[in-house]
Amino acid sequence: MHQHVQELFDGPIDIVADIHGEIAALDALLERLGYTPDGRHPRGCRLVFLGDLVDRGADSPAVVERVADMVAAGRAQCVLGNHELNLLCEAPKEGNGWFWPAESDHDIAIGKFAESARVTDSQRRHFLRWFDTLPVALERPDLRVVHACWQGDTVQRLRDSTVPASEAYNVFNEQVDDTLHRSGKYEQRTQELAEWGGLLADPAATVPLLRSLAAIDTLRQSGHPLRAATSGLERPAPAPFYASGKWRMNERVAWWKEYDEAPAVVFGHYWRWPLSAEEAAARSRGPDLFAGTEPFQWLGARKNAMCIDWCVGLRWKERLEGAKRFEGKLGALRWPSREVVLDS
């Protein structure tokens, strides 16, 4: 029986999120934290990884092999991220071409991720089996960790599911589809797209908020526990906004602003530039979820929520642009001291 919410290590831990194939950054961070490459620590500290080990970076296979070995040795724990979930669900996305056969690898074919190390057939099979064993969240009395979102209903539905993520994903999909079919939203969306669909990719177009499209996308994301936990909650936006090549009707939810429970919660997923609030806002794509906060500031009503994704996953882009120094960092949150340590 699979458990999506499992027990977190006791004692001192170092929490790391969103490595995205950057094996050199992981090596540097482990050294700064005092670990050997295989995850041993002289004071008995252990590592907790918050998913998104893979995609975009230089060597995703090396990162997965390293983390999986540490987990097998009992020196680390790891939760599932949305990038691992994409691979489990056989969903090609930007930056995960390293995982697929060469003939379908559009990203590397155009050179965008040409330096990304490729997976072997045996690694592909091993990684998929291992990803399907990972929990979605970990908890102990003082601390909770998850890749993107800890929300009460989402976590409870994950507790109630006893099949691995690859199976649970389809079960939750069927539940969402059943709800949407009964609501009549699909028919309403068809009418909206017939009128406005041809303009959704045009940044110069004036497009109204397509309410059925927004409602469907909201339920598919926020009403699907695996998607919600690994890539966050969404809601209809006040007005459409253009991002990543199309007009969008939904916006991400800064759920941590309403998190009001006693255990601290640590997560990754949301790009949080380790820059001043003004510089970070200028780099934000769409609404800035961290507006008015500094990059290492605790969040939420109790100041006990922390996002530790500091954009190492954009180093591939910085390399393409010829950057002399990386602004994206890989970091760890040391618990219980709450100290932040960066790779450089």
Side-chain angles (χ1 to χ4, degrees), residues 176-191:
V176 169
D177 276 341
D178 181 61
T179 299
L180 289 171
H181 276 298
R182 288 186 284 108
S183 73
K185 295 294 183 186
Y186 282 138
E187 292 80 0
Q188 296 167 25
R189 181 188 62 177
T190 298
Q191 296 172 7

Side-chain angles (χ1 to χ4, degrees), residues 111-226:
K112 196 172 184 181
F113 300 99
E115 296 183 1
S116 297
R118 300 192 59 77
V119 72
T120 66
D121 288 341
S122 62
Q123 284 177 320
R124 184 184 296 110
R125 292 190 293 270
H126 168 57
F127 292 174
L128 288 175
R129 287 194 298 269
W130 185 66
F131 293 156
D132 224 13
T133 69
L134 296 178
V136 180
L138 298 165
E139 62 180 346
R140 69 190 207 189
D142 63 332
L143 182 63
R144 297 162 168 175
V145 303
V146 68
H147 179 66
C149 175
W150 187 289
Q151 189 263 347
D153 180 61
T154 293
V155 173
Q156 186 56 53
R157 291 178 68 191
L158 288 171
R159 292 187 200 279
D160 293 340
S161 173
T162 58
V163 296
S166 59
E167 296 178 51
Y169 186 86
N170 294 325
V171 171
F172 292 135
N173 264 349
E174 290 170 4
Q175 293 172 356
V176 169
D177 276 341
D178 181 61
T179 299
L180 289 171
H181 276 298
R182 288 186 284 108
S183 73
K185 295 294 183 186
Y186 282 138
E187 292 80 0
Q188 296 167 25
R189 181 188 62 177
T190 298
Q191 296 172 7
E192 290 175 344
L193 293 179
E195 185 172 359
W196 299 102
L199 297 176
L200 292 180
D202 181 1
T206 300
V207 179
L209 184 66
L210 305 181
R211 298 187 182 280
S212 294
L213 181 60
I216 289 170
D217 289 347
T218 293
L219 190 61
R220 281 182 169 172
Q221 182 66 30
S222 299
H224 190 296
L226 273 174

